[in-house]
Amino acid sequence: MTAGLVLVHGGAGTNAADLHEAAVAGTRRAASLGLGRLIELGDREDACVEAAIAAVRSLEDDPAFNAGRGACMTSLGQFEVDAGIMRSRDRQSGAVASVHELADACELARAVMERSKHALLVGDGARRFAEACGVGRFGRELVWTEKAEQRYEQARLGQTSIDNRADTVGAIALDRRGQLCALGSTGGVLLKLPGRVGDTPLIGAGFYADATLGAALGTGVGEAIMGRVGCYELLRRAAAGVGIQAAAEQLCQEIHRDTGAAVGFIAVGPDGSVGMAHCSAHMSWALAREGVEVVGALTVGPAPSMPG
Ligand code: ASP
């Protein structure tokens, strides 16, 4: 039986100094909650899905992060969120994009994976599907935060850079059956045009999970990650013999060199090996493994090595 693990990220970019502690505490909490769920479910089918959901729900509810409550605003001061999930056992995936004022996009992405024939639903159609399934908590008051409002006002007035903001979220879980689930959720990028979709809900770019390749999540400037189909590329390189940590580092450095964009990846191999790299000022992350104390940090760029 495989020893389970949950690897979480809290976004690649620049974390405001007053949110460093919250980012570390939030990612550690999420990884612990995910692992707790994994252990509770033992060798049940799709324990990895439940664990990833538990971790990401905790991050979506945490106002320190750019997902759910705490999501950033579009150029019109609205909230449009994206999420994507994939499980390795049958390569089923589900994603939602550009959904207004949704506090738990991870649950809706999961519903698309488990309860529809489709892989990606957007906008009003996603909302209608959510209502039909009885899934999703909607409302501006559920996603609005003072942090997001302040950033929006400052960015609009040109008082702060809108680039390289961190704090999108994601989790990869490996369960006792050896199955993997990758799940990411985001408000996207600050001042994005209405309707803009990044890498997070795009299979292969922002997320991927496969029984022989492993699972990966991307974070940072979505357009740069999409151009390289980041997660799939990382896992193919790892499986070709590069190793998961080296593949994550290589790809981050290449994308950053070619585009100048802040990017990061986390990845887990089918054997439980983990990789994490970023080319950005910061990235918060946490790793919870069965029988081992949770580790986590907010690391400073460009490309730290992953312990354990
Ligand atoms: N990748 C996300 C996007 O482009 C944002 C992020 O990870 O910070 O929408």
Side-chain angles (χ1 to χ4, degrees):
M1 196 181 289
T2 310
L5 71 84
V6 177
L7 176 62
V8 160
H9 78 78
T14 304
N15 276 88
D18 59 340
L19 288 175
H20 285 194
E21 252 177 59
V24 175
T27 45
R28 280 172 176 254
R29 188 181 320 113
S32 302
L33 283 168
L35 186 67
R37 187 78 181 118
L38 202 69
I39 290 169
E40 195 180 298
L41 293 171
D43 63 358
R44 282 241 306 267
E45 179 104 303
D46 283 342
C48 57
V49 173
E50 297 286 350
I53 290 276
V56 171
R57 273 296 294 272
S58 151
L59 294 162
E60 285 179 340
D61 288 345
D62 186 332
F65 297 97
N66 172 20
R69 193 158 76 94
C72 66
M73 290 178 173
T74 69
S75 59
L76 295 183
Q78 296 176 335
F79 297 93
E80 296 180 359
V81 302
D82 307 329
I85 186 169
M86 185 167 182
R87 63 188 182 207
S88 65
R89 75 174 163 86
D90 53 5
R91 291 201 200 87
Q92 285 295 305
S93 66
V96 293
S98 223
V99 187
H100 283 250
E101 298 175 353
L102 172 60
D104 48 359
C106 70
E107 297 282 9
L108 189 53
R110 179 193 190 168
V112 172
M113 175 172 77
E114 293 180 345
R115 297 162 71 176
S116 86
K117 293 183 294 188
H118 307 301
L120 172 61
L121 293 178
V122 305
D124 289 345
R127 170 94 187 222
R128 273 198 291 277
F129 176 73
E131 282 162 5
C133 293
V135 173
R137 293 176 293 133
F138 290 87
R140 189 174 172 89
E141 72 288 356
L142 298 180
V143 290
W144 182 92
T145 54
E146 209 175 305
K147 170 199 84 173
E149 183 84 42
Q150 275 173 5
R151 280 188 185 180
Y152 173 71
E153 289 304 336
Q154 287 168 353
R156 251 175 14 127
L157 296 171
Q159 292 171 354
T160 183
S161 157
I162 59 167
D163 290 331
N164 298 350
R165 288 285 176 192
D167 55 37
T168 277
V169 307
I172 298 173
L174 172 68
D175 65 24
R176 288 173 169 177
R177 289 184 175 216
Q179 293 175 350
L180 286 152
C181 176
L183 167 60
S185 179
T186 187
V189 292
L190 181 58
L191 291 195
K192 66 184 180 182
L193 291 178
R196 178 267 185 191
V197 174
D199 61 306
T200 307
L202 298 188
I203 189 168
F207 68 103
Y208 204 72
D210 174 278
T212 50
L213 295 177
L217 288 171
T219 172
V221 179
E223 287 76 3
I225 296 169
M226 285 146 75
R228 297 297 291 264
V229 197
C231 288
Y232 190 64
E233 173 69 13
L234 188 165
L235 294 172
R236 293 283 297 188
R237 287 186 190 194
V242 174
I244 206 142
Q245 176 63 26
E249 288 180 14
Q250 260 183 18
L251 190 62
C252 264
Q253 284 161 7
E254 285 174 24
I255 296 176
H256 186 68
R257 182 196 64 210
D258 294 348
T259 65
V263 289
F265 291 96
I266 61 170
V268 177
D271 60 353
S273 55
V274 295
M276 189 276 286
H278 65 100
C279 284
S280 59
H282 308 114
M283 179 156 146
S284 58
W285 58 272
L287 172 64
R289 278 186 193 274
E290 270 191 75
V292 181
E293 207 170 317
V294 180
V295 288
L298 182 125
T299 45
V300 176
S305 288
M306 187 74 185

